[in-house]
Amino acid sequence: MMYDVAIIGAGVIGSAIARELSKYDVKCCVIEREEDVCCGTSKANSAIIHAGFDAKPGTLKAKLNVRGNEMMDQLSKDLDIPFKRNGSLVVCTKNQDPAGLEELLEKAKANGVPRCRILDRDELIAMEPNLSDDVVAALHAPTGAIVCPFHMTMAFAENAFENGVEFFLNTNVEKIEKAECGYRIITNKETFETKVVVNAAGVYSDEFNNQVSDRKLQIIARKGEYMLLDKQAGCHVNQTIFQLPSKMGKGVLVSPTVHGNLLVGPTAADIENKEGTDTTQKYLDSLGPLSALSVKNVPLRQVITSFAGLRAHEVDGDFVIGEAEDAPGFFNAAGIESPGLSSAPAIGEYLGDMIAEKLALVKKENFKATRKGILNPEHLTMEERNALIKENPAYGNIICRCEMISEGEILDAIHRPLGARSLDGVKRRTRAGMGRCQAGFCSPRTMEILAREVPMEMNEITKNGGKSTYIVGTNKNI
Amino acid sequence: MEKRDLICIGCPLGCPLTVTIENGEVTEVKGNTCPKGDAYARKEVTNPTRIVTSTVVVEGGVAPMVSCKTAADIPKGKIFDVTDALKDVVAKAPVAIGDVLLADVAGTGVDIVATKNVEAI
Amino acid sequence: MKNYDLVIVGGGPAGLAAAVSARDNGIESILIIERDKELGGILNQCIHNGFGLHTFKEELTGPEYAARFAAQVYERNIEYKLNTMVMDINDDKVVTAMNREDGMFQIQAKAVILAMGCRERSRGALNIPGYRPAGIYSAGTAQRLVNMEGFMPGKKCVILGSGDIGLIMARRMTLEGAKVEVVAELMPYSGGLKRNIVQCLDDFGIPLKLSHTVIDIEGKERVEAITIAEVGPDRKPIPGTEIRYECDTLLLSCGLLPENELSRSAGVNLSPITSGPVVNDSLETNIDGIFACGNVLHVHDLVDYVSQEATTAGKNAANYIKNGKNAEAKEVKIYPEGGVRYTVPATIRPSEMDDTLTVRFRVADVYKNHAICTYFDNELISKRKRPVMAPGEMEQVILTKAKLAEYPELDRITITLEEA
């Protein structure tokens, strides 16, 4: 198969680039080894759109973070992405040097982050009564925001798909080699030929780069573990509370999520295994004391799940974005660690422009700039909801009782572009199974719906593709 | 003389029982709260029995399975013979509680009866 | 908006018994709202026997027990709605519910009985480290799959937690052809009934390892191995005691939590110990006319006790609907002390109570040769010896109206454990 552009990786970066390129007349595909989009780093992170004060001025991280943040107001409307500018605070405790806040404020100014200022304790407590008693001051960045990373990635991917980008899921890239046309991508399934390759392969982006370029990259998987708390705890803080970095490390954040839970994390540990998304007792145990440095009485008893994500840390520290010098047509989006999610829209724009120029692409007239997400009936009035149920009774049938998700929403998740084929796929799209019982009640019912609608056999239904099946046989026959 | 300690399974109280056995005969049961405990202890040390509960497939019903049980207790050593015998049993809906789904299961002389009503579609 | 005298949220054993009792006490206008497709609640998946010895004087399976109560509801023509989810209850007793046919609708009730039951503690809430593959089920989810749908969730399992559902599922999985490697229990005692250890584990040679917990889950896609380790008195794993089991399934039976999200939305005060509503002798919450019974109130061991409790709630709700509430009645608080973790009810109004009142509670630890002592102020009223008490088995004290009438100035009741 011959393409103009083949993007490796359907995370938020690959999807954002795909969406950007779908504005042009171009034959473009996305190749993803998992069974769904948003299965790697994009699904397990802090879900923050950073204001942009943290990165060193002049770096790509600084530039793309601030630009990405700016783009989110419009994007969240166009693509129906749950997004909230809740603001962020970097808190300094009595044992820390408040000069650190001044430095951050200077960086904020240099990076062009608007409206940052340093607040004293009285102002802070008025905003956030649960800050630790040791907090003396903080940098306030009102443009800091929270987002649903699943919906953000899926919004980009679905919109790209609707504008003609092809997606190849369950397709694992085994080798990339130079070819006459540009590059040949050999996978466990098809072989792709393409003029341009975009390497958005997360923690594996060094391996692909190193197959075609002598400017070697080294990506280290940096594991971050998190705890997610029940919605009852969601109002414990209103803003995202960061800690001023110290000798002890960068600290952990405590933040509401855009869906109303409370998130605590991440820890940081460099690991060898790029598949090592397991949580560990040691680091989970550390989250309580670490979070208490900035926020008091975090109700850790209300944890509903914990998870680990891997950040793709490039040893030189900055994002590696652009065409490899010695491999024309091979574009990297590598080393995309924090603030990667925040920068994703800007990385899409930046790389999209570069590739458009390279291939002399022409914008198409019929680009559809908007995408509608899965209807959330929670926002409807009772009359509107009843009209909806009358039209489609499935919206009256609650499947996930913790998050109050109806069958209608699950059907939408399955039947929409790039629809869900697994329980995790349904969960990331609708939140069914993401609540306090963690799918204990709804998983058998969601499985029935998947089996009926896809259709597929019960023993083919997986948690997240591959061998992650739920059912091993029928009674007395296993 | 032999003494054996048992936990009565007759009801949720779970009385701790001590059984005295002489020449293969139970001579004394201690620790029981009710006559059930005495009976259980005597049987448990000589010929232990159990009620077996399971499920069988239903055809044409509103549910894919119907729950069932042995109508009386069966020898403990025959538990797996009973479940094996249920492997190919298919009940036809409607099924009512008490319906015999399989007579004389595994040669025990005990029937398998439905424990749930399953209406026909 | 529709009007009913009594709305019962949940059509499991508690809801059904409450409805029958309310009808028998003269309430005509009753609606039971059930989220599942049939009445009976979780009993429908509890196909094992052992239910009903108190209520029906015979040993029934879960579905049989449920069917008997459902039959009583049918006989009385009590209205019920299936496949219907209650979305909200407010403190004016307006119940908002939804289903496919009626859409979203509201009911103004004179009284509400909360009977929503409980849910299982999930892997996430237990903070078990490791990967997050398929093959980790709460025991109840596995029970539903096997017993209601006929699907086997695994071939080789480790079970964490020796609660009754975990023990029952150990036997159930074994009978359906799976191998259960071990049941690990964090505490030094089992959380389940002794009879279940005998007939679900011992009968099949399944080891029960007390003071053990899961410390690692291997397998990125499906569970591949589970490692357990012994824990010390601090319940932290002891290095060097690890045992690794190759298996494809981890079942969790680590406690049940009353499901009170709706109660909270109505402004009902919840106990931090039971996670259920704080109720008086009528099983009435702090919101007038909202009652609670069954596992939503506190987790029971025996459905027979749920039915008894629900019968009381139904009768009291009927009385409230007919006669209102005596706001002047004096309320005496029960103080759980010395190893008694909580009591249900938490307060008593001697002028309003029935002739006898069963106060149920759980103890905090295993107690041998202790007595349950009841004090009215500082005076010992009763002392009942119990050879063994354990947190897994509910205890009770019975108070009589006659005795309480002798203490018109009573300030506090204390229930406590003392060495016998």
Side-chain angles (χ1 to χ4, degrees):
Chain A
M1 275 177 284
M2 183 66 206
Y3 288 87
D4 295 321
V5 184
I7 299 166
I8 304 173
V12 71
I13 303 298
S15 301
I17 297 165
R19 195 250 174 182
E20 198 61 31
L21 286 170
S22 73
K23 293 175 179 171
Y24 298 91
D25 251 324
V26 65
K27 192 166 165 55
C28 175
C29 69
V30 178
I31 305 170
E32 168 59 49
R33 68 169 193 168
E34 301 292 339
E35 55 98 33
D36 196 0
V37 303
C38 197
C39 282
T41 300
S42 307
K43 81 165 177 186
N45 54 67
S46 304
I48 303 292
I49 299 296
H50 293 275
F53 50 75
D54 194 40
K56 195 170 143 196
T59 59
L60 276 174
K61 279 184 178 174
K63 180 180 144 188
L64 296 169
N65 182 169
V66 174
R67 171 68 188 143
N69 182 301
E70 279 169 12
M71 292 168 75
M72 278 308 291
D73 292 297
Q74 189 61 42
L75 263 181
S76 63
K77 285 193 196 93
D78 286 349
L79 299 182
D80 202 4
I81 302 168
F83 171 74
K84 186 180 173 192
R85 289 206 185 272
N86 66 323
S88 52
L89 292 173
V90 183
V91 300
C92 171
T93 59
K94 64 182 182 193
N95 304 321
Q96 287 182 297
D97 182 359
L101 292 181
E102 297 291 344
E103 283 169 33
L104 276 182
L105 185 60
E106 287 309 309
K107 280 203 282 181
K109 283 180 188 157
N111 291 346
V113 182
R115 295 183 286 135
C116 288
R117 52 189 198 105
I118 293 173
L119 306 182
D120 64 19
R121 181 169 172 86
D122 289 346
E123 280 179 285
L124 288 171
I125 292 303
M127 285 171 135
E128 297 289 350
N130 285 321
L131 287 181
S132 144
D133 296 342
D134 290 344
V135 169
V136 290
L139 177 78
H140 179 225
T143 56
I146 48 183
V147 72
C148 171
F150 314 136
H151 282 236
M152 186 168 160
T153 307
M154 285 178 300
F156 283 134
E158 287 175 19
N159 189 234
F161 180 86
E162 285 190 296
N163 284 300
V165 175
E166 295 171 53
F167 280 75
F168 294 88
L169 302 174
N170 293 307
T171 307
N172 188 33
V173 174
E174 287 165 355
K175 195 168 188 301
I176 303 174
E177 51 192 34
K178 289 186 179 164
E180 263 171 49
C181 59
Y183 294 90
R184 187 175 302 115
I185 300 172
I186 297 154
T187 75
N188 63 332
K189 292 184 172 170
E190 297 94 325
T191 293
F192 298 80
E193 293 195 332
T194 181
K195 292 176 194 159
V196 163
V197 174
V198 177
N199 175 20
V203 288
Y204 292 99
S205 50
D206 54 347
E207 294 180 18
F208 295 130
N209 173 79
N210 297 349
Q211 288 177 14
V212 297
S213 169
D214 286 329
R215 209 217 123 192
K216 302 297 180 197
L217 296 179
Q218 189 189 349
I219 304 283
I220 291 167
R222 183 163 289 173
K223 189 193 308 198
E225 301 186 28
Y226 295 85
M227 285 181 176
L228 185 72
L229 277 59
D230 193 284
K231 285 182 173 174
Q232 272 179 57
C235 297
H236 197 71
V237 293
N238 304 305
Q239 308 184 65
T240 303
I241 313 297
F242 297 95
Q243 298 172 349
L244 188 61
S246 71
K247 281 171 294 197
M248 305 300 289
K250 274 192 97 172
V252 297
L253 63 82
V254 178
S255 180
T257 71
V258 76
H259 297 294
N261 297 87
L262 192 75
L263 185 67
V264 180
T267 58
D270 291 348
I271 58 166
E272 300 268 318
N273 176 6
K274 288 184 174 180
E275 297 295 313
T277 53
D278 54 328
T279 54
T280 60
Q281 194 74 56
K282 176 181 151 197
Y283 283 103
L284 289 181
D285 286 349
S286 74
L287 286 173
L290 278 174
S291 61
L293 296 175
S294 50
V295 180
K296 63 183 175 186
N297 305 327
V298 174
L300 290 172
R301 275 188 64 195
Q302 293 182 23
V303 169
I304 59 172
T305 189
S306 30
F307 60 90
L310 302 180
R311 290 158 272 179
H313 174 68
E314 212 285 325
V315 286
D316 289 340
D318 201 4
F319 294 156
V320 181
I321 300 178
E323 192 170 7
E325 279 167 34
D326 57 347
F330 187 91
F331 287 80
N332 277 308
I336 312 295
E337 59 184 331
S338 177
L341 187 68
S342 319
S343 308
I347 294 173
E349 184 182 68
Y350 182 67
L351 259 183
D353 287 351
M354 273 189 207
I355 293 165
E357 198 187 307
K358 170 96 186 175
L359 295 175
L361 299 177
V362 181
K363 290 224 170 166
K364 60 185 172 203
E365 282 172 15
N366 57 350
F367 173 70
K368 191 183 163 213
T370 60
R371 162 259 184 196
K372 209 64 209 132
I374 292 172
L375 175 75
N376 183 351
E378 216 176 84
H379 304 309
L380 302 179
T381 64
M382 197 178 298
E383 288 71 31
E384 289 167 335
R385 199 150 175 163
N386 277 329
L388 177 69
I389 296 169
K390 202 158 186 191
E391 194 187 301
N392 184 352
Y395 281 99
N397 182 22
I398 293 289
I399 300 295
C400 165
R401 54 165 98 155
C402 301
E403 297 289 317
M404 293 288 187
I405 306 301
S406 70
E407 185 179 353
E409 291 153 84
I410 295 175
L411 294 179
D412 187 354
I414 294 171
H415 293 303
R416 65 178 25 240
L418 299 173
R421 291 294 175 270
S422 66
L423 253 68
D424 277 3
V426 170
K427 178 170 85 171
R428 283 193 294 270
R429 282 168 180 78
T430 64
R431 303 186 55 74
M434 215 179 271
R436 48 184 71 92
C437 92
Q438 288 286 298
F441 282 111
C442 67
S443 55
R445 303 177 72 192
T446 306
M447 286 162 73
E448 274 174 43
I449 297 172
L450 270 170
R452 183 185 75 215
E453 295 292 325
V454 172
M456 60 209 292
E457 295 296 323
M458 283 291 273
N459 61 11
E460 292 171 343
I461 294 174
T462 64
K463 182 172 189 290
N464 48 23
K467 290 181 226 146
S468 65
T469 52
Y470 283 98
I471 299 297
V472 302
T474 54
N475 287 7
K476 304 173 188 77
N477 289 301
I478 58 170
Chain B
M1 192 181 79
E2 183 200 350
K3 276 190 192 277
R4 275 180 65 185
D5 291 325
L6 300 172
I7 300 284
C8 178
I9 65 170
C11 85
L13 270 185
C15 295
L17 309 176
T18 305
V19 191
T20 309
I21 306 158
E22 271 177 79
N23 306 322
E25 297 273 314
V26 175
T27 54
E28 191 185 32
V29 177
K30 271 187 172 168
N32 54 313
T33 315
C34 74
K36 265 194 189 164
D38 186 86
Y40 169 76
R42 289 173 192 279
K43 216 153 70 170
E44 188 66 10
V45 295
T46 52
N47 173 30
T49 61
R50 296 287 185 268
I51 297 275
V52 178
T53 60
S54 188
T55 54
V56 302
V57 173
V58 185
E59 253 174 25
V62 293
M65 308 295 288
V66 62
S67 55
C68 59
K69 67 178 180 186
T70 52
D73 37 1
I74 55 112
K76 189 174 151 185
K78 289 223 164 192
I79 291 176
F80 283 102
D81 297 334
V82 169
T83 53
D84 281 348
L86 293 177
K87 221 173 190 168
D88 304 316
V89 176
V90 177
K92 291 253 185 325
V95 181
I97 290 177
D99 283 0
V100 175
L101 303 177
L102 180 65
D104 183 19
V105 62
T108 55
V110 174
D111 296 341
I112 294 286
V113 295
T115 55
K116 190 167 166 53
N117 301 318
V118 179
E119 289 169 31
I121 295 175
Chain C
M1 188 141 41
K2 297 171 192 173
N3 287 285
Y4 280 89
D5 282 352
L6 176 61
V7 170
I8 298 173
V9 186
L16 297 180
V20 167
S21 161
R23 173 61 57 84
D24 291 351
N25 282 281
I27 303 302
E28 281 304 310
S29 160
I30 301 175
L31 178 67
I32 303 171
I33 304 181
E34 166 57 39
R35 58 192 159 202
D36 217 329
K37 60 184 180 220
E38 59 186 335
L39 295 177
I42 223 74
L43 281 177
N44 286 312
Q45 68 182 52
C46 298
I47 66 162
H48 53 281
N49 58 326
F51 301 89
L53 279 164
H54 292 256
T55 313
F56 298 110
K57 309 293 172 220
E58 61 180 304
E59 201 173 27
L60 301 173
T61 63
E64 290 171 304
Y65 187 96
R68 292 206 183 182
F69 270 95
Q72 294 181 33
V73 167
Y74 304 144
E75 280 162 20
R76 287 166 178 75
N77 284 316
I78 296 172
E79 244 185 280
Y80 58 90
K81 275 188 188 293
L82 302 176
N83 297 309
T84 305
M85 182 67 81
V86 173
M87 313 288 286
D88 184 60
I89 305 170
N90 72 15
D91 55 0
D92 284 334
K93 297 181 277 290
V94 173
V95 178
T96 307
M98 189 169 81
N99 65 28
R100 295 174 70 104
E101 293 77 28
D102 306 300
M104 198 180 232
F105 57 95
Q106 291 190 310
I107 298 167
Q108 175 68 63
K110 287 183 186 158
V112 172
I113 296 181
L114 305 171
M116 292 89 78
C118 58
R119 65 165 174 269
E120 298 173 277
R121 220 179 280 275
S122 73
R123 182 255 173 114
L126 294 163
N127 264 321
I128 304 171
Y131 285 96
R132 301 201 299 158
I136 304 169
Y137 298 87
S138 65
T141 306
Q143 189 178 44
R144 183 186 164 107
L145 284 170
V146 178
N147 292 351
M148 311 270 293
E149 300 173 22
F151 291 114
M152 287 295 283
K155 294 179 184 178
K156 231 178 178 192
C157 355
V158 167
I159 299 179
L160 176 64
S162 61
D164 285 310
I165 314 174
L167 300 175
I168 294 287
M169 280 311 291
R171 174 175 65 181
R172 191 73 193 107
M173 295 291 286
T174 307
L175 288 179
E176 293 297 343
K179 169 106 173 77
V180 177
E181 295 282 354
V182 68
V183 176
E185 167 60 55
L186 177 70
M187 303 306 285
Y189 47 83
S190 164
L193 298 169
K194 289 191 276 288
R195 71 184 316 226
N196 284 335
I197 294 172
V198 173
Q199 60 183 0
C200 298
L201 302 188
D202 297 353
D203 274 5
F204 302 97
I206 299 167
L208 171 62
K209 290 195 179 288
L210 299 175
S211 300
H212 277 72
T213 194
V214 171
I215 59 158
D216 195 24
I217 298 172
E218 290 173 61
K220 180 114 176 162
E221 297 185 320
R222 174 87 198 192
V223 172
E224 288 169 12
I226 299 292
T227 302
I228 68 169
E230 192 175 344
V231 296
D234 60 353
R235 295 187 212 164
K236 299 270 184 225
I238 301 169
T241 61
E242 299 84 1
I243 312 172
R244 182 174 176 276
Y245 297 91
E246 280 185 16
C247 59
D248 61 8
T249 306
L250 173 65
L251 297 188
L252 302 170
S253 175
C254 301
L256 301 167
L257 296 167
E259 197 154 61
N260 275 293
E261 281 65 40
L262 289 171
S263 323
R264 201 175 280 116
S265 75
V268 167
N269 287 342
L270 301 177
S271 152
I273 308 290
T274 59
S275 303
V278 177
V279 294
N280 66 16
D281 51 282
S282 286
L283 305 179
E284 187 181 18
T285 67
N286 59 304
I287 308 289
D288 285 359
I290 298 188
F291 299 79
C293 57
N295 282 350
V296 80
L297 177 54
H298 58 145
V299 176
H300 296 64
D301 322 324
L302 293 187
V303 71
D304 299 75
Y305 294 159
V306 168
S307 301
Q308 280 174 20
E309 188 177 272
T311 300
T312 308
K315 191 185 83 174
N316 292 329
N319 189 34
Y320 172 86
I321 292 163
K322 289 187 288 189
N323 306 320
K325 185 173 180 175
N326 175 7
E328 308 293 302
K330 180 188 163 185
E331 203 163 61
V332 182
K333 198 171 169 207
I334 305 176
Y335 290 80
E337 285 179 6
V340 176
R341 292 194 70 219
Y342 69 89
T343 63
V344 169
T347 59
I348 297 182
R349 298 159 309 159
S351 63
E352 309 299 307
M353 68 183 279
D354 288 341
D355 290 343
T356 63
L357 176 75
T358 306
V359 179
R360 296 202 161 95
F361 59 91
R362 285 182 192 275
V363 298
D365 202 346
V366 173
Y367 295 90
K368 286 193 174 150
N369 297 316
H370 272 64
I372 301 168
C373 298
T374 307
Y375 288 85
F376 285 0
D377 292 331
N378 292 319
E379 185 182 338
L380 180 64
I381 298 298
S382 76
K383 182 167 185 172
R384 187 162 56 92
K385 271 211 235 172
R386 299 277 288 124
V388 186
M389 286 180 280
E393 300 186 25
M394 198 179 270
E395 300 290 338
Q396 65 179 47
V397 161
I398 292 176
L399 299 179
T400 63
K401 189 170 185 135
K403 188 74 188 168
L404 277 155
E406 295 170 25
Y407 297 80
E409 302 302 315
L410 183 61
D411 188 38
R412 57 185 282 160
I413 299 169
T414 307
I415 299 180
T416 182
L417 305 183
E418 290 175 8
E419 278 184 38

